[in-house]
Amino acid sequence: MSEVVIRSDTASSGSPGLLASLDPLLREWLPRQRWFAGKGRPVTGFSLVAATELLPPTGNLGLYHLLVRAHQPLTLGAPPHPGDCYQLLIGVREALPPRLAPALIGHLDQGPLAGHTVYEALYDPRPAELLLEALRTQARIGDLRFERDTGQEIRDGLVPRLMTAEQSNSSIVYGDTFILKLLRRIVPGTNPDLELPLALAREGCPRVPAPTAWLGAELAGEPYVLGVLQPFVQGASDGWELALRELAKGEDFGAEARSLGRATAEVHTALARALPTVTLGHAQLQLLVDGMIERLEAAVQAVPGLRPYAPGLHSSFTALADLAAEGRTWTAQRIHGDLHLGQCLRSPAGQWSLIDFEGEPSKPLPERRMPQPTARDIAGMLRSFDYAAHCADPTVTGWAEACRAAYCSGYAEVSGADPRTDPVLLRAYETDKAIYEVVYEARHRPDWLPVPMAAIERYVTSDLI
């Protein structure tokens, strides 16, 4: 790796002018990014949260780290919101080489960088090398803090490459040794994407790659997690892609589903050891059920096709409240929070790992960090099997049901409790998840709407299992 020179000062005096000059370019570029959360609403302006100059724009390459708040009109009935904050790495060159053409943001003709071209720096190996070197040396650069587990070695000379299939964040792989996940939508507070893997590493849980290093900042007294470096599982198969491949070949996925159930239970039991658990009684369960009913009512307004099923869906939630009223209690703990096949990796040796503990990015951070019944994670995986089954052509009869049974059996082998023995709780969470899916598909992928709608119909016409 070529020598990386890091500036350790924060770009302050030029930052407002820089943002003002970037404004028209970012208004066009930002909404096109996969990780931009405010699609469908125009960007009306930006405000600067923090700016750090990592490389001065005096040579062939300049580099800025920006935290920028994007302002957009509120949707009808939405509560006041200051706008989402995004992490940007802006590269600066006089001219962009052809290899970086996909990274182009635009050309500046005013402001402190007038005459330069700006671009998404993660496409460029040199800025990616700089980030790894800063993590390796535990650098302090302006407001940025690069931390690492000193018990794990970070070698230099690892060749970086940007992964292009990322959705809500961006990831760089370094020489098939590490993967750096940079969070895009930034919120203050303890992020579970770092908190939970660190807790699992302390418990010695092998199902989650232990964080090697992480990038953060402290702004106005609030901590921010900006990125996490973890070991890269070389040759691993994404659970979703693996399931679809097996379906296409007509192969049974039961053994993999069972192993995945065991891995999920290992993570849950380790989290229960590492972090506090709570008991949910009548009052707590009623709040949980009220939230499910509220989401159902909002979904019926958004997707009128749900209306005929609303009474039956409502009864799935009230049945859970009735059990709580009778004195039934449940244990809540820290969970993954957004578990599905795409959040799982299978190594070439056949070991499953769980990744991406950020939770649902659309949820407030305190809500994502709340203890919850493990049934929520399990329901997410069961819905994922259902989605995979609907991708098969021709349809493989009974595939999702077989995966469901195998996954729950594998879970029980480790946890000692089969999720199917608490059918009211599991059905409530599956129903809640399917309702969310209906709204999402209606808004973003109408062709997929029949998948959750078929589940909705099944839930209101079939007995609990």
Side-chain angles (χ1 to χ4, degrees):
M1 182 184 73
S2 58
E3 182 180 357
V4 176
V5 179
I6 301 173
R7 281 181 64 93
S8 60
D9 55 68
T10 299
S12 53
S13 59
S15 297
L18 173 61
L19 183 60
S21 63
L22 286 172
D23 184 305
L25 300 179
L26 292 179
R27 290 193 196 207
E28 294 293 324
W29 177 80
L30 192 63
R32 298 199 305 267
Q33 306 314 301
R34 291 180 179 180
W35 38 264
F36 181 69
K39 295 187 185 300
R41 293 178 289 138
V43 176
T44 58
F46 297 96
S47 56
L48 188 65
V49 177
T52 305
E53 184 183 85
L54 301 178
L55 288 175
T58 54
N60 294 327
L61 170 66
L63 180 63
Y64 288 87
H65 180 281
L66 303 181
L67 295 179
V68 172
R69 194 172 300 281
H71 301 286
Q72 298 179 268
L74 295 174
T75 55
L76 186 63
H81 190 273
D84 291 316
C85 177
Y86 293 96
Q87 177 176 201
L88 308 179
L89 280 134
I90 305 294
V92 181
R93 289 179 181 265
E94 290 187 356
L96 207 60
R99 63 182 174 83
L100 293 177
L104 176 68
I105 295 176
H107 187 76
L108 295 173
D109 50 21
Q110 60 179 346
L113 298 178
H116 289 79
T117 297
V118 290
Y119 64 101
E120 165 60 89
L122 298 185
Y123 281 83
D124 194 342
R126 276 205 65 206
E129 290 171 354
L130 183 150
L131 292 175
L132 188 65
E133 178 66 7
L135 290 167
R136 190 181 72 82
T137 59
Q138 298 179 277
R140 298 287 186 270
I141 311 173
D143 294 314
L144 302 180
R145 300 290 180 264
F146 295 82
E147 312 283 355
R148 74 179 179 93
D149 177 356
T150 55
Q152 299 187 55
E153 180 187 5
I154 301 177
R155 295 187 294 108
D156 58 9
L158 298 174
V159 177
R161 71 176 187 277
L162 178 67
M163 296 185 71
T164 56
E166 206 61 37
Q167 294 294 324
S168 58
N169 296 292
S170 298
S171 293
I172 304 170
V173 175
Y174 292 94
D176 292 335
T177 302
F178 296 111
I179 181 168
L180 174 62
K181 175 180 176 181
L182 289 167
L183 305 178
R184 286 301 195 165
R185 188 158 46 147
I186 303 301
V187 294
T190 302
N191 195 303
D193 214 15
L194 176 61
E195 177 195 17
L196 297 187
L198 282 175
L200 290 164
R202 291 194 297 269
E203 287 294 320
C205 178
R207 296 298 190 171
V208 176
T212 303
W214 48 95
L215 168 60
E218 185 158 328
L219 305 169
E222 291 272 20
Y224 287 75
V225 174
L226 305 176
V228 182
L229 184 78
Q230 292 174 285
F232 182 67
V233 185
Q234 188 172 0
S237 297
D238 171 284
W240 173 257
E241 295 174 353
L242 179 62
L244 295 188
R245 285 203 303 270
E246 297 303 297
L247 266 168
K249 295 187 295 185
E251 296 289 339
D252 175 56
F253 199 68
E256 296 297 348
R258 181 181 292 269
S259 295
L260 188 51
R262 292 179 59 87
T264 306
E266 287 181 28
V267 170
H268 282 166
T269 54
L271 285 173
R273 291 194 306 267
L275 298 166
T277 63
V278 298
T279 299
L280 303 181
H282 184 204
Q284 295 87 354
L285 251 294
Q286 189 61 57
L287 288 174
L288 187 153
V289 169
D290 288 346
M292 292 177 171
I293 292 172
E294 184 177 325
R295 287 189 289 275
L296 168 61
E297 293 171 348
V300 169
Q301 294 299 315
V303 187
L306 274 176
R307 193 175 302 278
Y309 304 103
L313 298 171
H314 190 277
S315 67
S316 294
F317 304 140
T318 55
L320 182 59
D322 291 344
L323 280 182
E326 294 168 5
R328 177 74 185 273
T329 61
W330 289 266
T331 298
Q333 63 163 84
R334 299 298 299 277
I335 61 171
H336 182 282
D338 188 24
L339 191 61
H340 53 77
L341 283 165
Q343 307 283 42
C344 306
L345 298 176
R346 182 187 178 278
S347 74
Q351 295 295 310
W352 283 100
S353 298
L354 274 57
I355 60 172
D356 292 340
F357 281 76
E358 188 181 1
E360 293 184 15
S362 61
K363 301 289 186 184
L365 191 60
E367 184 177 333
R368 287 187 261 152
R369 297 185 66 232
M370 287 177 59
Q372 300 177 66
T374 56
R376 180 178 173 184
D377 274 352
I378 295 163
M381 186 61 69
L382 301 185
R383 294 294 311 128
S384 193
F385 289 136
D386 195 44
Y387 262 74
H390 280 78
C391 290
D393 186 20
T395 301
V396 181
T397 304
W399 186 90
E401 292 76 8
C403 289
R404 175 191 189 95
Y407 178 82
C408 290
S409 295
Y411 190 93
E413 290 170 5
V414 171
S415 72
D418 191 315
R420 293 169 292 183
T421 62
D422 196 353
V424 175
L425 181 68
L426 186 58
R427 173 59 60 87
Y429 271 108
E430 284 189 82
T431 301
D432 189 47
K433 181 69 172 178
I435 290 168
Y436 165 83
E437 292 164 356
V438 166
V439 176
Y440 181 88
E441 305 302 7
R443 288 176 176 169
H444 303 289
R445 302 188 303 181
D447 291 347
W448 285 78
L449 185 56
V451 180
M453 286 301 296
I456 292 292
E457 182 175 4
R458 189 166 66 248
Y459 294 157
V460 300
T461 58
S462 64
D463 294 329
L464 293 173
I465 62 168

